[in-house]
Amino acid sequence: MKFTDLETPALLLDRHRLNANLARMHDKASAHGVALRPHMKTAKSADIARLATVGQPGGITVSTLKEAAYFIAHGFADITYAVGIAVGKLDRVAALQQDGARVTVLTDNVDVARGIAARAEATGARFDVLIEVDTGDHRAGVAPDSSTLMEIAAILDRAAGIDLRGVLTHAGHSYDCRSIEDLAAVAEAERAGAVLAAERLRAAGMACPVVSVGSTPTAVHARDLSGVSEIRPGVYMFNDVFQASIGACTLADVAVSVLATVTGHHPERGEILIDAGGLALSKDRSTAAGPHDVGYGWVIGPDGTALPELQVVRVSQEHGVVAAAPGAGALPLAALPPGTHIRVLPNHACMTAAAYDCYHVVEGGEVVATWPRINGW
Amino acid sequence: MKFTDLETPALLLDRHRLNANLARMHDKASAHGVALRPHMKTAKSADIARLATVGQPGGITVSTLKEAAYFIAHGFADITYAVGIAVGKLDRVAALQQDGARVTVLTDNVDVARGIAARAEATGARFDVLIEVDTGDHRAGVAPDSSTLMEIAAILDRAAGIDLRGVLTHAGHSYDCRSIEDLAAVAEAERAGAVLAAERLRAAGMACPVVSVGSTPTAVHARDLSGVSEIRPGVYMFNDVFQASIGACTLADVAVSVLATVTGHHPERGEILIDAGGLALSKDRSTAAGPHDVGYGWVIGPDGTALPELQVVRVSQEHGVVAAAPGAGALPLAALPPGTHIRVLPNHACMTAAAYDCYHVVEGGEVVATWPRINGW
C-alpha cells in the first residue's frame, strides 16, 4: 500500500531512519563497553524493542507497569521500571514477576524504602531495587553525596527479600542545553554522580552492580562512561525536532512523522488547514524555549522532502493551522490544494506517538509493515 | 470498589457533577427552543452520549470518523462530523451510511464542494452537507456575507446526490473572552452570523433547515438563540479549570479529575512528586494565558475537597511536580506522605481524557461504574 492511501492523521515510521538511529546508539554503547537498556517509553512497541536490543543483553526500560506487562507478554524478562515506585504498586510488580521476569523498581525516599521492605516481608515477594540519584535534573533522586542515599541503602540492604542492585540517574536537564559542550558537561556530571553514589555504597559493603545513566542527549554526547554499567536512552530511536534543536540529532534523523491532509485554504490569513490538531500532534511546545520555535511541528512534503519552511502555528482538537515560518516567504498554496498530503515532524516524539495505536512503517512511498503500540496505564 | 483502590493514574468522573452539567445544558436548549446536538469529542463514550441526549432529538456531533463509526455501532443514527471534510474521506462516510445512519459533513472550500459533488456523481452515494461559516474564530469557515458562501452553496445545491442542509459555525474565540459580557457578545455574533448566512441561502431558494452554532462558553452565556436550530457544546459535560477561568462554569462543576499517587518528597525544593505527568494530564497549558495560571492542573484532595492551593508546576512523561501556588503558603508535606492519593483537575478536559481508555465513575468514595471511551482515528 502507498502511504498516501492511509486514513489521516496517521503516524509514519521511516524504517531506514529508525535502523540508522538504532545502529548509532548500539555502536556508541559498544564503543564504551556499556550495555544499552533502551527506554521503551517512546516506542511502546515489542517490534521496535526487539530491533533495539539486537546485540545487547536484552534488558529494557519502561515508564509504566502496563508497559512492563506488555513487554513481559512479548518475551522480555529483564525490565527496569524507571519511575519512582509507590508501595501500593508492589503487588502488581510481584504478580508480573511470577513467571520468572524481573521488574526492577526504584525509589529516592526513605519511607518508600521502608514500605518496600515491609511489603517483601509481609508477602514473601522478592524485589530488585535501584536507588534514584539526582545528578542535576532536580526532578527526582537523592544527592550522590547525601546521607539520605546511605540511609535508603541501609534499609534496603538489610531487608529480607530485597536485592539492592545499584543506582540509577536521569540527566533530564540535558534538555536545557544549547551546545554540544554543555551536553558533554551534563553527561559527565551524570556519570560522575552515579559513579560516586555507587562507590559510596560499595565502600559500605554493598555490591552495587548496576550504575545506570541515560537520556538521549547525554548518551549521544558522553565522552567517557567509565564506571557506568548501562545507558537508558529512549527517544533516540525516533528523534524529533526538539532533539535536533539541542544538537542530539539532525532533522534528517527524525524517523516519525504525522501524515495529514489539507482540508482548507485561508489565503486572506496566509493559512492552510490540516486534519492534524492538538490530539494528533500533542500540545507539546518544547521548541518554544529554544532558538527555533516550530510551533506544534515542522511541515514537510508527503515524501519527506523539505518545503519552504512551514509550521503548524495553532491547533485545536482536530484542526491544525499551517503557516509560513517568519521570514520563509509566501505560503505555497497552489502546491498544496485541499486533499494534498503533508507530513509533520513532531516537537516531541514521545508525546505525539502516544496518540496512536500503531506505526505505519514506511520505506520509500510504501507502507511495509504496521506495528502496534500500547498506551495508558 | 473504593476509588482509592484503583491503579494510578486513573480518570475519575463524578456522576453527580456530570448529571448536573448535562441537565443545565438540556434546560438551556429547551428554554430557547433549540435542539441540543452534544459534541462527543470530549467524552467519546456511548454511555455519556445516551445521557446527554435524553429528552433531545438524539443527534450528536463528532470530531473524527472513528467516533462516527463507534457511535453508529452504538445506535446513534444522526451524526454531524464537525471538522471540514477531505474528499478522500467521502468513501468512508458513504460506508458508514450504508446501514441507514446519516453522517453530515461540512466544508468551507469551493474545490472541496466540487469534489463532494463529483464523488456523489461518480459513486451514486448521497451526502448531507453543511457550509462552515466563520463568525469571528478565524480557524475555518467562510464569512457569512461573502460571495464564497453563495458560490459553495450553488455548487452543492445543484449537485445530484447532495442535500445541502444548512450552515454551521463554531465561535472558538469565546475561549479568548475574559468576562461574561464578552462571552454574551461573542454568542450573539455567532448567532447573528449563522442566521445571516442561512437567510442568504434561503433568499436564493435553498431551504437551509440547519442553523448550527456552539461552543460551551457561548452556549452557556447566549441570551438569544432566535433563528438557531441547534447548539453543539461538548466540554460542558465535564468542564475544566480553563472553562472555570473564563466563567463558563465554576470549579465545583468540574466533573473529571485524574487520580494520582504521591511517589516522592523534595522538601528542599518545596516539591512533591506524583505519578501523573505529561501523558496523564496532557501538555495543555490553556490557563497560562489567563489571570490564574494553574500550571498543568489544580491539585485537590482524594475526596474532592480543596487543599491549600497546590499546582502541578512541571511535568515529564510520567512525573508530575506539585508545588504550592504563588502566595499559597507552605506545602503540606506531612499531610501528603508517599502513597497518598491526590486528584488533579485538568486545564482542558478534552485533551486530558484522551489519554485514557475508560472513565471510573465515582459517587462519594465508590467506583459505581466503568465506562469505556475511544481514541484515535
Side-chain angles (χ1 to χ4, degrees):
Chain A
M1 174 159 89
K2 295 279 176 206
F3 72 76
T4 45
D5 293 332
L6 293 169
E7 300 275 351
T8 58
L11 186 61
L12 305 185
L13 175 56
D14 183 301
R15 193 197 307 239
H16 288 305
R17 291 185 180 192
L18 171 70
N19 286 340
N21 294 340
L22 296 178
R24 204 179 301 119
M25 193 60 78
H26 171 84
D27 293 349
K28 174 86 187 211
S30 300
H32 287 270
V34 299
L36 173 59
R37 180 186 286 277
H39 205 319
M40 300 313 304
K41 77 186 183 80
T42 307
K44 299 199 186 195
S45 150
D47 298 294
I48 297 172
R50 290 188 190 110
L51 292 173
T53 51
V54 169
Q56 294 294 332
I60 61 170
T61 311
V62 301
S63 65
T64 67
L65 289 179
K66 183 171 177 183
E67 287 169 56
Y70 164 82
F71 284 109
I72 289 170
H74 287 79
F76 294 84
D78 175 10
I79 292 173
T80 296
Y81 170 44
V83 175
I85 190 73
V87 173
K89 296 183 180 181
L90 287 170
D91 290 353
R92 192 170 170 199
V93 170
L96 289 171
Q97 296 187 129
Q98 280 198 327
D99 293 328
R102 175 166 69 181
V103 179
T104 301
V105 301
L106 67 150
T107 188
D108 65 357
N109 187 280
V110 170
D111 291 338
V112 173
R114 288 199 187 102
I116 301 171
R119 199 75 203 138
E121 188 175 348
T123 64
R126 294 193 56 84
F127 298 111
D128 293 279
V129 186
L130 299 171
I131 303 176
E132 188 166 9
V133 175
D134 182 1
T135 51
D137 185 32
H138 304 328
R139 178 181 73 182
V142 296
D145 60 356
S146 65
S147 58
T148 313
L149 171 71
M150 302 312 295
E151 192 180 352
I152 295 171
I155 293 165
L156 296 172
D157 188 50
R158 67 173 172 250
I162 291 183
D163 187 357
L164 173 58
R165 301 275 303 153
V167 296
L168 175 149
T169 192
H170 167 66
H173 58 310
S174 61
Y175 282 45
D176 300 328
C177 291
R178 293 291 176 268
S179 76
I180 305 305
E181 283 308 308
D182 283 355
L183 286 170
V186 169
E188 174 53 21
E190 182 181 42
R191 183 202 71 80
V195 170
L196 170 61
E199 285 172 351
R200 291 181 70 211
L201 300 193
R202 290 180 191 132
M206 304 170 214
C208 198
V210 176
V211 182
S212 180
V213 305
S215 72
T216 285
T218 56
V220 168
H221 291 293
R223 292 167 186 169
D224 175 18
L225 289 168
S226 312
V228 165
S229 69
E230 65 177 27
I231 57 174
R232 304 183 324 282
V235 74
Y236 75 96
M237 302 176 197
F238 296 165
N239 288 311
D240 52 35
V241 179
F242 176 75
Q243 293 295 327
S245 78
I246 63 170
C249 68
T250 71
L251 276 183
D253 301 321
V254 180
V256 288
S257 58
V258 173
L259 184 72
T261 303
V262 173
T263 56
H265 276 188
H266 291 277
E268 71 284 9
R269 295 191 293 273
E271 292 176 353
I272 286 174
L273 276 173
I274 60 172
D275 64 354
L279 285 182
L281 300 174
S282 99
K283 287 211 168 175
D284 190 280
R285 290 282 290 108
S286 26
T287 60
H292 195 135
D293 185 356
V294 301
Y296 294 89
W298 184 304
V299 177
I300 59 176
D303 54 357
T305 53
L307 295 171
E309 192 185 336
L310 302 181
Q311 301 177 346
V312 181
V313 294
R314 295 195 306 283
V315 290
S316 41
Q317 186 164 337
E318 298 292 344
H319 295 79
V321 176
V322 171
L331 193 65
L333 281 169
L336 299 169
T340 312
H341 288 95
I342 55 95
R343 284 160 71 173
V344 184
L345 301 180
N347 271 322
H348 188 165
C350 313
M351 299 299 295
T352 301
Y356 299 86
D357 59 10
C358 73
Y359 301 94
H360 299 287
V361 183
V362 295
E363 233 180 276
E366 291 287 327
V367 178
V368 295
T370 300
W371 292 340
R373 57 165 280 145
I374 59 148
N375 291 300
W377 294 273
Chain B
M1 170 158 95
K2 295 280 177 205
F3 71 76
T4 46
D5 293 331
L6 293 169
E7 301 274 351
T8 59
L11 186 62
L12 306 184
L13 175 56
D14 183 302
R15 193 198 305 242
H16 288 305
R17 291 185 180 192
L18 171 69
N19 286 340
N21 293 340
L22 296 178
R24 203 178 303 118
M25 193 60 78
H26 171 85
D27 293 350
K28 174 85 187 214
S30 299
H32 286 270
V34 297
L36 173 59
R37 180 186 286 276
H39 204 319
M40 299 313 303
K41 78 187 181 83
T42 307
K44 298 200 186 195
S45 150
D47 298 294
I48 297 172
R50 290 187 189 110
L51 292 172
T53 51
V54 169
Q56 294 293 334
I60 62 171
T61 311
V62 301
S63 65
T64 66
L65 289 179
K66 183 171 176 183
E67 287 168 55
Y70 164 82
F71 285 109
I72 289 170
H74 287 79
F76 293 84
D78 174 10
I79 292 174
T80 296
Y81 170 43
V83 174
I85 191 73
V87 172
K89 296 183 180 179
L90 287 170
D91 289 352
R92 190 169 170 197
V93 170
L96 289 171
Q97 295 187 129
Q98 280 199 325
D99 292 327
R102 176 167 68 182
V103 179
T104 301
V105 301
L106 67 150
T107 189
D108 64 357
N109 187 280
V110 170
D111 290 337
V112 174
R114 289 199 187 103
I116 301 171
R119 200 75 202 139
E121 188 175 349
T123 64
R126 294 193 56 84
F127 298 111
D128 293 279
V129 186
L130 299 171
I131 302 176
E132 187 165 11
V133 175
D134 182 2
T135 53
D137 185 31
H138 303 327
R139 178 181 73 183
V142 296
D145 60 356
S146 64
S147 59
T148 313
L149 170 71
M150 302 313 293
E151 192 181 352
I152 294 171
I155 293 165
L156 296 172
D157 188 51
R158 67 172 173 250
I162 290 184
D163 187 356
L164 172 58
R165 302 275 303 153
V167 296
L168 175 149
T169 192
H170 166 66
H173 57 310
S174 60
Y175 282 44
D176 301 328
C177 291
R178 292 293 176 266
S179 76
I180 304 305
E181 283 307 309
D182 283 355
L183 287 170
V186 169
E188 173 54 19
E190 182 181 40
R191 183 201 71 80
V195 170
L196 168 61
E199 286 173 350
R200 292 181 69 211
L201 300 193
R202 290 179 191 133
M206 304 170 215
C208 198
V210 176
V211 182
S212 180
V213 305
S215 72
T216 285
T218 55
V220 168
H221 291 292
R223 292 166 185 169
D224 175 18
L225 290 169
S226 311
V228 165
S229 70
E230 65 178 28
I231 57 174
R232 303 183 325 281
V235 74
Y236 75 96
M237 302 176 197
F238 296 165
N239 288 312
D240 53 35
V241 179
F242 177 76
Q243 292 296 326
S245 78
I246 62 170
C249 68
T250 71
L251 276 183
D253 300 322
V254 180
V256 286
S257 57
V258 173
L259 184 72
T261 304
V262 173
T263 56
H265 275 188
H266 291 277
E268 71 283 10
R269 295 191 292 272
E271 292 177 352
I272 287 174
L273 275 175
I274 60 172
D275 64 354
L279 285 183
L281 300 174
S282 97
K283 288 213 167 174
D284 189 281
R285 291 282 291 110
S286 26
T287 62
H292 194 133
D293 185 354
V294 301
Y296 294 88
W298 185 304
V299 177
I300 60 175
D303 54 356
T305 54
L307 295 171
E309 192 185 335
L310 302 181
Q311 301 177 347
V312 181
V313 293
R314 295 195 305 283
V315 290
S316 40
Q317 187 164 335
E318 298 292 344
H319 295 80
V321 177
V322 172
L331 194 65
L333 280 169
L336 298 169
T340 312
H341 287 94
I342 54 95
R343 285 161 69 173
V344 184
L345 301 181
N347 270 324
H348 189 165
C350 313
M351 298 299 295
T352 300
Y356 299 87
D357 58 10
C358 72
Y359 300 95
H360 298 288
V361 183
V362 295
E363 235 181 274
E366 292 286 329
V367 178
V368 295
T370 300
W371 292 340
R373 58 165 280 144
I374 59 148
N375 291 300
W377 295 273

